[in-house]
Amino acid sequence: MKKTAFIAIVGCPNVGKSSVLNALLGEKVAIVSEKPQTTRTRIMGVLTEGERQLVFTDTPGLHRPRTKLGEHMARAVKEGMDGVDACLLVAEAAGKGLRPQEEELLASFRKQRTPVILLLNKIDLLRSKEDLMERILLFSGACDFAAVIPCSVKTGDNMPALREELAALFGALALSEGFYFPEDTLTDQCERVLAAELLREQLLRNLEDEIPHGVAVVIEKFSTRQKDGADLLDIEATIFCERESHKGMVIGKGGAMLKKIASAARAELEAFFDCKVNLQCWVKVKEGWRNREGVIRNFGLE
């Protein structure tokens, strides 16, 4: 009997939530970087195997909002947890104590009584097994988890155990009959959004720390044509930043930085869409856009 389970992936910023989603799907549907708050909106990833469909919702890292955009991101976490069948809490295997955001999430779990799997990521960075045991005891004392799995998404260590626990949890849930998405669905993100995110990923990876959180990408044109008997995807993108000084940094001396970012993004786009890509980028300033509700909505980040 075909059934669907909805599972929210939650946790603090930069713990590896999007990497977990990509690893489970075996495809890249969520961008990743070493900078916190990379994920800005809820992203659904769909894994269909036999009569089992798992719909994962990758949420932004829970943090204390400092801008209107941050408030939207915080709401996205809470909305992503509403009505789900289970949650996957991702935390770092190393560390001391619980972060305030983790305590908030754990309190929500206790209140909702939603089954939760704890994934302690980045065990490849651990100094000793004793540190790991301390983390397991710390989290387990705050919530009754369906399973606790130490792993490393980067190395793939213990990821098969996560898949096994998800399958076991799926079998224990009371689910309605039928698939929510067609069997060949991978994500709810449209192609324009995916293209914008792949470009923003390269902005995150190449720019200084103070700039990336103030940039947004809007795809102005997305169309396919034939060239030399093969598909060619034309993409025109506008990169918005908050300050004129940031615009100069995005472009770089003689356009070098923008060229570097666009070249890396083009390679990612060609790999994802499996065709040649003609990418054209422009940079514009939209002063203080992260605190302007209308602009946030226009950028599709509400």
Coordinates of all heavy atoms in Angstrom, one line a residue, residues 211-252:
I211 N 29.1 40.2 3.4 CA 28.4 40.5 2.2 C 27.3 39.4 1.9 O 26.1 39.8 1.6 CB 29.3 40.6 1.0 CG1 30.4 41.7 1.3 CG2 28.5 40.9 -0.3 CD1 31.4 41.8 0.2
P212 N 27.5 38.1 1.9 CA 26.6 37.1 1.4 C 25.2 37.2 1.9 O 24.2 37.0 1.2 CB 27.2 35.8 1.7 CG 28.7 36.1 1.8 CD 28.8 37.5 2.4
H213 N 25.0 37.5 3.2 CA 23.7 37.5 3.8 C 22.9 38.7 3.2 O 21.6 38.7 3.4 CB 23.8 37.6 5.3 CG 24.4 36.4 5.9 ND1 24.1 35.1 5.6 CD2 25.5 36.3 6.7 CE1 24.8 34.3 6.3 NE2 25.7 35.0 7.0
G214 N 23.5 39.7 2.6 CA 22.8 40.8 2.1 C 22.6 40.7 0.6 O 22.3 41.7 -0.1
V215 N 22.8 39.6 0.0 CA 22.6 39.4 -1.5 C 21.4 38.5 -1.7 O 21.1 37.6 -0.9 CB 23.8 38.8 -2.2 CG1 25.0 39.7 -2.0 CG2 24.2 37.4 -1.7
A216 N 20.7 38.8 -2.8 CA 19.6 38.0 -3.3 C 19.7 37.8 -4.8 O 20.3 38.7 -5.5 CB 18.3 38.6 -2.9
V217 N 19.2 36.8 -5.3 CA 19.3 36.5 -6.8 C 17.9 36.3 -7.3 O 17.1 35.6 -6.8 CB 20.1 35.2 -7.1 CG1 20.2 35.0 -8.6 CG2 21.5 35.4 -6.5
V218 N 17.7 37.1 -8.4 CA 16.4 37.0 -9.1 C 16.7 36.6 -10.6 O 17.5 37.2 -11.3 CB 15.6 38.3 -9.1 CG1 14.4 38.2 -10.0 CG2 15.3 38.7 -7.7
I219 N 16.0 35.5 -11.0 CA 16.2 35.1 -12.4 C 15.2 35.8 -13.3 O 14.0 35.7 -13.2 CB 15.9 33.5 -12.5 CG1 16.9 32.8 -11.6 CG2 16.1 33.1 -14.0 CD1 18.4 33.0 -11.9
E220 N 15.7 36.6 -14.2 CA 14.9 37.4 -15.1 C 14.5 36.7 -16.4 O 13.4 37.0 -16.9 CB 15.7 38.7 -15.5 CG 16.3 39.5 -14.3 CD 15.3 40.2 -13.5 OE1 14.1 40.2 -13.8 OE2 15.7 40.9 -12.5
K221 N 15.4 35.8 -16.8 CA 15.1 35.0 -18.0 C 15.5 33.6 -17.9 O 16.6 33.3 -17.3 CB 15.8 35.6 -19.2 CG 15.6 34.9 -20.5 CD 16.3 35.5 -21.7 CE 16.1 34.7 -23.0 NZ 16.9 35.3 -24.1
F222 N 14.7 32.6 -18.3 CA 15.0 31.2 -18.2 C 14.4 30.5 -19.4 O 13.2 30.3 -19.4 CB 14.5 30.6 -16.9 CG 15.0 29.2 -16.6 CD1 16.0 29.0 -15.7 CD2 14.3 28.1 -17.1 CE1 16.5 27.7 -15.5 CE2 14.8 26.9 -16.9 CZ 15.8 26.6 -16.0
S223 N 15.1 30.3 -20.4 CA 14.5 29.7 -21.6 C 15.5 28.8 -22.3 O 16.7 28.9 -22.2 CB 14.1 30.8 -22.6 OG 15.2 31.6 -23.0
T224 N 15.0 27.8 -23.1 CA 15.8 26.9 -23.8 C 15.7 27.1 -25.3 O 14.6 27.3 -25.8 CB 15.4 25.4 -23.4 OG1 15.5 25.3 -22.0 CG2 16.3 24.4 -24.1
R225 N 16.8 27.0 -26.0 CA 16.8 27.0 -27.4 C 17.8 26.0 -28.0 O 18.6 25.4 -27.2 CB 17.2 28.4 -27.9 CG 18.6 28.9 -27.5 CD 18.8 30.4 -27.9 NE 19.9 31.0 -27.2 CZ 21.2 31.0 -27.7 NH1 21.4 30.5 -28.9 NH2 22.1 31.6 -27.1
Q226 N 17.7 25.7 -29.3 CA 18.6 24.8 -29.9 C 19.8 25.5 -30.5 O 19.7 26.6 -31.1 CB 17.9 24.0 -31.0 CG 16.9 23.0 -30.5 CD 17.5 21.8 -30.0 OE1 18.3 21.1 -30.6 NE2 17.2 21.4 -28.7
K227 N 21.0 24.9 -30.3 CA 22.2 25.4 -30.9 C 23.1 24.3 -31.3 O 23.4 23.5 -30.4 CB 22.9 26.4 -29.9 CG 24.2 27.0 -30.5 CD 24.9 28.0 -29.6 CE 26.1 28.6 -30.2 NZ 26.8 29.5 -29.3
D228 N 23.4 24.2 -32.5 CA 24.3 23.1 -33.0 C 23.7 21.7 -32.7 O 24.4 20.8 -32.4 CB 25.7 23.2 -32.5 CG 26.4 24.5 -32.9 OD1 26.1 25.0 -34.0 OD2 27.2 25.0 -32.1
G229 N 22.3 21.6 -32.7 CA 21.6 20.4 -32.5 C 21.5 19.9 -31.1 O 21.1 18.8 -30.8
A230 N 21.8 20.8 -30.1 CA 21.8 20.5 -28.7 C 21.0 21.6 -28.0 O 21.0 22.8 -28.4 CB 23.2 20.3 -28.1
D231 N 20.5 21.3 -26.8 CA 19.8 22.3 -26.0 C 20.8 23.3 -25.4 O 21.9 22.9 -24.9 CB 19.0 21.6 -24.8 CG 17.8 20.9 -25.3 OD1 17.3 21.2 -26.4 OD2 17.3 20.0 -24.6
L232 N 20.4 24.5 -25.4 CA 21.2 25.6 -24.8 C 20.2 26.4 -23.9 O 19.2 26.8 -24.3 CB 21.8 26.5 -25.8 CG 22.6 27.7 -25.2 CD1 23.8 27.3 -24.4 CD2 23.0 28.7 -26.3
L233 N 20.6 26.4 -22.6 CA 19.7 27.1 -21.6 C 20.2 28.5 -21.4 O 21.4 28.8 -21.0 CB 19.7 26.4 -20.3 CG 18.9 26.9 -19.1 CD1 17.4 27.0 -19.5 CD2 19.1 26.0 -17.9
D234 N 19.4 29.5 -21.7 CA 19.7 30.9 -21.5 C 19.2 31.4 -20.2 O 18.0 31.3 -19.9 CB 19.1 31.8 -22.6 CG 19.8 31.6 -24.0 OD1 21.0 31.6 -24.0 OD2 19.1 31.4 -25.0
I235 N 20.1 31.9 -19.3 CA 19.7 32.3 -18.0 C 20.2 33.8 -17.8 O 21.4 34.0 -18.0 CB 20.2 31.4 -16.9 CG1 19.6 30.0 -17.0 CG2 19.8 32.0 -15.5 CD1 20.2 29.0 -16.0
E236 N 19.3 34.7 -17.5 CA 19.7 36.0 -17.1 C 19.4 36.3 -15.7 O 18.2 36.1 -15.3 CB 19.0 37.1 -18.0 CG 19.5 36.9 -19.5 CD 18.8 38.0 -20.4 OE1 18.1 38.8 -19.8 OE2 19.0 37.9 -21.6
A237 N 20.3 36.6 -14.9 CA 20.1 36.8 -13.4 C 20.6 38.2 -12.9 O 21.6 38.7 -13.4 CB 20.9 35.7 -12.7
T238 N 19.8 38.7 -12.0 CA 20.2 39.9 -11.3 C 20.5 39.6 -9.9 O 19.8 39.0 -9.2 CB 19.1 41.0 -11.4 OG1 18.7 41.2 -12.7 CG2 19.5 42.3 -10.7
I239 N 21.7 40.1 -9.5 CA 22.2 39.9 -8.1 C 22.0 41.2 -7.4 O 22.5 42.3 -7.8 CB 23.7 39.5 -8.1 CG1 23.9 38.2 -8.8 CG2 24.2 39.5 -6.6 CD1 25.4 38.0 -9.1
F240 N 21.1 41.2 -6.3 CA 20.9 42.4 -5.6 C 21.7 42.4 -4.3 O 21.8 41.4 -3.6 CB 19.4 42.5 -5.2 CG 18.5 42.7 -6.4 CD1 17.8 41.7 -7.1 CD2 18.2 44.1 -6.8 CE1 17.0 42.0 -8.1 CE2 17.4 44.3 -7.9 CZ 16.8 43.3 -8.5
C241 N 22.3 43.5 -4.0 CA 23.0 43.7 -2.7 C 22.5 44.9 -2.0 O 21.8 45.8 -2.6 CB 24.5 43.7 -2.9 SG 25.1 44.8 -4.2
E242 N 22.9 45.1 -0.8 CA 22.3 46.2 0.1 C 23.0 47.5 0.0 O 22.5 48.5 0.4 CB 22.2 45.7 1.5 CG 21.1 44.6 1.7 CD 20.9 44.3 3.2 OE1 21.9 43.9 3.9 OE2 19.8 44.4 3.7
R243 N 24.3 47.5 -0.4 CA 25.1 48.7 -0.4 C 25.9 48.8 -1.7 O 26.2 47.8 -2.3 CB 26.0 48.7 0.8 CG 25.4 48.6 2.2 CD 26.4 48.5 3.2 NE 25.8 48.2 4.5 CZ 26.5 48.0 5.7 NH1 27.9 47.9 5.6 NH2 25.9 47.7 6.8
E244 N 26.2 50.1 -2.0 CA 26.9 50.3 -3.2 C 28.3 49.8 -3.1 O 28.9 49.3 -4.0 CB 27.0 51.9 -3.5 CG 27.5 52.2 -4.9 CD 26.5 51.9 -6.0 OE1 25.3 52.0 -5.7 OE2 27.0 51.5 -7.0
S245 N 28.9 49.8 -1.9 CA 30.2 49.3 -1.6 C 30.2 47.7 -1.8 O 31.2 47.2 -2.3 CB 30.7 49.6 -0.2 OG 29.8 49.0 0.8
H246 N 29.1 47.1 -1.5 CA 29.0 45.7 -1.7 C 28.9 45.3 -3.2 O 29.5 44.3 -3.6 CB 27.8 45.1 -0.9 CG 28.0 45.1 0.5 ND1 27.0 44.6 1.4 CD2 29.0 45.4 1.3 CE1 27.4 44.7 2.7 NE2 28.6 45.2 2.6
K247 N 28.3 46.2 -3.9 CA 28.2 45.9 -5.4 C 29.6 45.9 -6.0 O 29.9 45.0 -6.8 CB 27.4 47.1 -6.0 CG 27.3 47.0 -7.5 CD 26.5 48.1 -8.1 CE 26.5 48.0 -9.6 NZ 25.7 49.2 -10.2
G248 N 30.5 46.8 -5.5 CA 31.8 46.8 -6.0 C 32.6 45.5 -5.7 O 33.4 45.0 -6.5
M249 N 32.3 45.0 -4.5 CA 33.0 43.8 -4.0 C 32.5 42.6 -4.8 O 33.2 41.6 -5.1 CB 32.8 43.6 -2.5 CG 33.4 44.6 -1.7 SD 33.1 44.3 0.1 CE 33.7 45.8 0.8
V250 N 31.2 42.5 -5.1 CA 30.6 41.4 -5.9 C 31.2 41.4 -7.3 O 31.5 40.4 -7.9 CB 29.1 41.5 -6.0 CG1 28.5 40.5 -6.9 CG2 28.5 41.4 -4.6
I251 N 31.3 42.6 -7.9 CA 31.9 42.7 -9.3 C 33.4 42.5 -9.3 O 33.9 41.7 -10.1 CB 31.5 44.1 -9.9 CG1 30.0 44.2 -10.0 CG2 32.2 44.3 -11.2 CD1 29.6 45.6 -10.5
G252 N 34.1 43.1 -8.3 CA 35.5 42.9 -8.2 C 36.3 43.8 -9.2 O 35.7 44.4 -10.1

